[in-house]
Amino acid sequence: MSSHTTSSNTPADHSPIKRPIILVTNDDGIFADGIRALCKAMLELGDVYVVAPEAEQSAVGHGITVRRPLRFKETIADRFEGMKAYRVDGTPADCVAMGIRLLPLPDLVVSGINMGQNLGDDLTHSGTVSAAIEATHQGIPAIAFSQVFPPADEQFDFSGSAQYATQLVRGLLQQKLPPRTLLSVNFPHGKAKGVRVTKLSNHDYKDNLLERQDPNGSKYYWIDGIPSGDSESDNDLGAVQEGYISVTPIKLDFFAKEYQAALEGWLPKL
Ligand code: MN
């Protein structure tokens, strides 16, 4: 059949295929290498808008800025060629909250690729994951991407991770996530052996508070941490330690249903 022939009953579809709108953010700041790699990867799949903190916001969790004004400034840079990029003097959650209201409503929000893993209990302080949670609160599908730290003598290499992010996002754009559910992806160091759907581990950083003295002789403190957690082959920590990409479905449900009856049992009554 010639390309000029159309059936008189069925109108030819000349409407261009709508490219999905993808909002990219992070917590390492708009000029971090991880977001650069993720933006470039997403450009293959849709129209990309970047809204990211102007300075690093790692470990700020889901903080939102409500006691001072926020600025939303367009950022022109070679690294954002083909995209619209904006920097915000706030948190990752601020970036998502502003981006989805000031720009065309995204079909998907992606956050990362974070420089450092976000496994297990890390989710409670991760700015990367909190950005994805903020999108999920607003009913927009979201994925948080993180990559484990390389050994001290090596640099981050996001090329393989960005390639897998493209595949995953292409898949998700055809799927639907259940309500109040997002994905948290962690890439291992080096070439991944495969992909595992994982459970959340109990990975965290054991408190290690460093005490120092400033030049005036006053004490100051530095919150440090020693990585801890139970590594199992079906959890996120085990997967990345064994060289696999970990994909964990995360549900925003803090309600401890299994404790409700026990609480009824002892709660003092008025
Ligand atoms: Mn970070």
Side-chain angles (χ1 to χ4, degrees):
M1 186 189 283
S2 136
S3 61
H4 298 289
T5 314
T6 52
S7 151
S8 54
N9 297 325
T10 335
D13 184 12
H14 293 304
S15 63
I17 296 165
K18 188 184 168 284
R19 276 166 68 80
I21 295 171
I22 303 172
L23 179 68
V24 186
T25 190
N26 75 345
D27 78 358
D28 292 332
I30 193 161
F31 294 110
D33 291 341
I35 196 170
R36 181 186 202 169
L38 188 56
C39 288
K40 275 184 103 172
M42 294 302 102
L43 210 49
E44 260 188 58
L45 304 172
D47 293 340
V48 175
Y49 292 84
V50 187
V51 183
E54 66 180 10
E56 190 185 338
Q57 297 286 312
S58 291
V60 300
H62 202 134
I64 51 167
T65 304
V66 293
R67 296 285 180 213
R68 63 169 177 84
L70 285 163
R71 309 286 171 181
F72 190 83
K73 292 182 184 161
E74 185 162 11
T75 302
I76 312 285
D78 288 350
R79 58 172 56 203
F80 300 123
E81 206 186 328
M83 317 165 204
K84 283 276 205 182
Y86 303 85
R87 62 190 192 278
V88 171
D89 57 342
T91 67
D94 291 333
C95 291
V96 173
M98 294 176 85
I100 64 179
R101 288 168 177 95
L102 297 173
L103 300 171
L105 193 68
D107 298 289
L108 178 75
V109 172
V110 291
S111 179
I113 301 170
N114 188 58
M115 298 167 85
Q117 59 271 32
N118 280 306
L119 306 164
D121 297 349
D122 302 347
L123 263 58
T124 55
H125 60 246
S126 166
T128 307
V129 178
S130 294
I133 291 175
E134 179 61 24
T136 308
H137 281 320
Q138 306 293 338
I140 298 162
I143 312 178
F145 292 102
S146 311
Q147 183 163 325
V148 304
F149 287 108
D153 54 343
E154 287 182 50
Q155 304 272 322
F156 272 103
D157 176 0
F158 295 109
S159 51
S161 312
Q163 226 168 51
Y164 184 71
T166 310
Q167 277 181 265
L168 176 57
V169 168
R170 187 177 282 128
L172 185 68
L173 287 167
Q174 312 294 322
Q175 302 286 326
K176 261 195 165 173
L177 285 173
R180 296 177 66 74
T181 303
L182 61 138
L183 300 180
S184 175
V185 178
N186 279 275
F187 296 106
H189 172 66
K191 190 172 160 40
K193 291 181 192 163
V195 185
R196 282 184 194 161
V197 176
T198 51
K199 295 178 189 168
L200 210 52
S201 67
N202 60 351
H203 178 267
D204 201 0
Y205 294 87
K206 277 203 185 107
D207 286 344
N208 192 21
L209 189 65
L210 306 177
E211 187 182 298
R212 302 260 168 86
Q213 247 182 30
D214 72 15
N216 301 318
S218 297
K219 281 181 200 166
Y220 69 87
Y221 299 92
W222 202 277
I223 295 178
D224 190 27
I226 300 161
S228 68
D230 301 319
S231 173
E232 285 158 19
S233 62
D234 65 347
N235 74 22
D236 54 2
L237 178 59
V240 294
Q241 282 184 345
E242 291 166 32
Y244 287 81
I245 300 169
S246 161
V247 182
T248 312
I250 304 293
K251 194 174 174 186
L252 302 184
D253 184 359
F254 293 110
F255 177 49
K257 190 174 193 297
E258 69 284 357
Y259 186 57
Q260 194 179 13
L263 181 61
E264 286 285 0
W266 67 261
L267 194 72
K269 303 290 183 281
L270 277 179

